[in-house]
Amino acid sequence: MTVHFIGAGPGAPDLITVRGRDILGRCRVCLYAGSLVPKELLTHCPDKARVVDTASMTLDEIVAEFVEAQAAGEDVARLHSGDLSVWSAMGEQLRRLDALGIPYTVTPGVPAFAAAAAALGRELTLPGVAQSVVLTRTSGRASTMPPGEKLAVFAATGATLAIHLSIHVLDSAVDELIPHYGPDCPIAIVYRATWPDEQIIRGTLGSILAETARTRPERTALIMVGPALTSSNFRDSALYDPNYRRRFRNGTGSEPAQ
């Protein structure tokens, strides 16, 4: 018996990985976050599988499902939205499984920031503009931020920011970012990326509050900030320059002569 943690992707059912879909198809028990995971994914579950919506469950109740499945010798598919490496609450479940001696696997999924970038049609790292992407959030009911992890600290680097779980504090976030990026810095709010009701609001740090005064999403929205969101005046990458010294060329597997 094994518990298989699977990143279900950002919303569109066909953005689950092939590996995740195949694992889901052979597990007799499926626990899924009903408020965030599309129910269309449940069609991949085996016939007569036990399917449990964990949206209203406590950690103890979820772990009890794992224990029950172990006693029955049934593998569990544990579906989480997006990717499991950030803000998935997987860590506390793994800690319980380690204590119980229950084996598990982890299958990554398409993260929300990647889905948002795709919806915007933008590369988040551009030569000479931004070479770092910071995935962060602000304090909320579920988790507070460590003292050193502040928006202003990340903004001072000029990196592209992907600010999760923070649409409710957009006003204060903008106030904290403007001194570092300036009021003309582009910002985009991507609501429910890849879902049928996806919504994108674009603007600048100086204009976004006015533009969202009537239509600001209340949840499930990602805030993207940084010059890379609109920049077109950047140099080409050296990757495709004919003079770039490639380690592998012409299928030889060796470095070219000097």
Side-chain angles (χ1 to χ4, degrees):
M1 178 272 177
T2 302
V3 177
H4 299 282
F5 288 84
I6 302 169
D14 59 349
L15 283 180
I16 191 172
T17 64
V18 173
R19 180 187 297 180
R21 180 201 65 194
D22 291 348
I23 293 173
L24 182 59
R26 61 175 184 261
C27 289
R28 302 301 304 175
V29 179
C30 174
L31 306 183
Y32 75 104
S35 59
L36 297 171
V37 172
K39 290 182 171 57
E40 291 89 337
L41 286 178
L42 303 180
T43 61
H44 298 299
C45 294
D47 292 340
K48 299 182 180 179
R50 173 171 166 75
V51 179
V52 180
D53 183 352
T54 61
S56 62
M57 295 174 65
T58 66
L59 177 60
D60 286 341
E61 291 169 336
I62 292 170
V63 172
E65 292 286 346
F66 295 154
V67 172
E68 182 179 337
Q70 182 192 39
E74 296 177 327
D75 284 352
V76 176
R78 178 65 172 116
L79 275 177
H80 283 263
S81 64
D83 179 62
L84 296 150
S85 61
V86 288
W87 304 296
S88 67
M90 179 181 69
E92 60 207 55
Q93 297 172 73
L94 299 187
R95 181 168 58 189
R96 293 288 191 96
L97 292 174
D98 284 335
L100 292 167
I102 297 176
Y104 53 82
T105 68
V106 179
T107 297
V110 176
F113 83 91
L120 295 171
R122 300 299 302 182
E123 181 181 352
L124 304 181
T125 55
L126 298 174
V129 178
Q131 288 293 290
S132 300
V133 179
V134 176
L135 311 181
T136 188
R137 59 166 297 175
T138 56
S139 292
R141 290 180 300 171
S143 298
T144 57
M145 295 295 289
E149 296 186 18
K150 299 183 182 300
L151 287 183
V153 173
F154 299 132
T157 67
T160 304
L161 301 188
I163 309 172
H164 298 65
L165 306 170
S166 302
I167 192 63
H168 62 293
V169 291
L170 178 63
D171 304 58
S172 59
V174 166
D175 288 342
E176 197 168 351
L177 296 173
I178 282 181
H180 301 278
Y181 288 106
D184 295 329
C185 179
I187 180 174
I189 296 171
V190 184
Y191 169 73
R192 285 171 64 86
T194 79
W195 289 81
D197 57 346
E198 173 186 284
Q199 180 184 2
I200 298 174
I201 305 172
R202 304 174 192 258
T204 66
L205 286 174
S207 70
I208 195 66
L209 296 181
E211 293 174 17
T212 60
R214 295 183 179 179
T215 60
R216 186 184 306 180
E218 294 182 357
R219 58 191 297 271
T220 325
L222 183 59
I223 305 168
M224 308 288 286
V225 181
L229 296 185
T230 58
S231 179
S232 59
N233 185 25
F234 58 91
R235 65 171 177 80
D236 291 342
S237 168
L239 181 62
Y240 302 115
D241 190 308
N243 296 316
Y244 179 66
R245 185 174 179 271
R246 290 168 173 79
R247 183 167 297 177
F248 297 95
R249 178 175 287 178
N250 299 326
T252 63
S254 60
E255 293 189 358
Q258 298 293 331

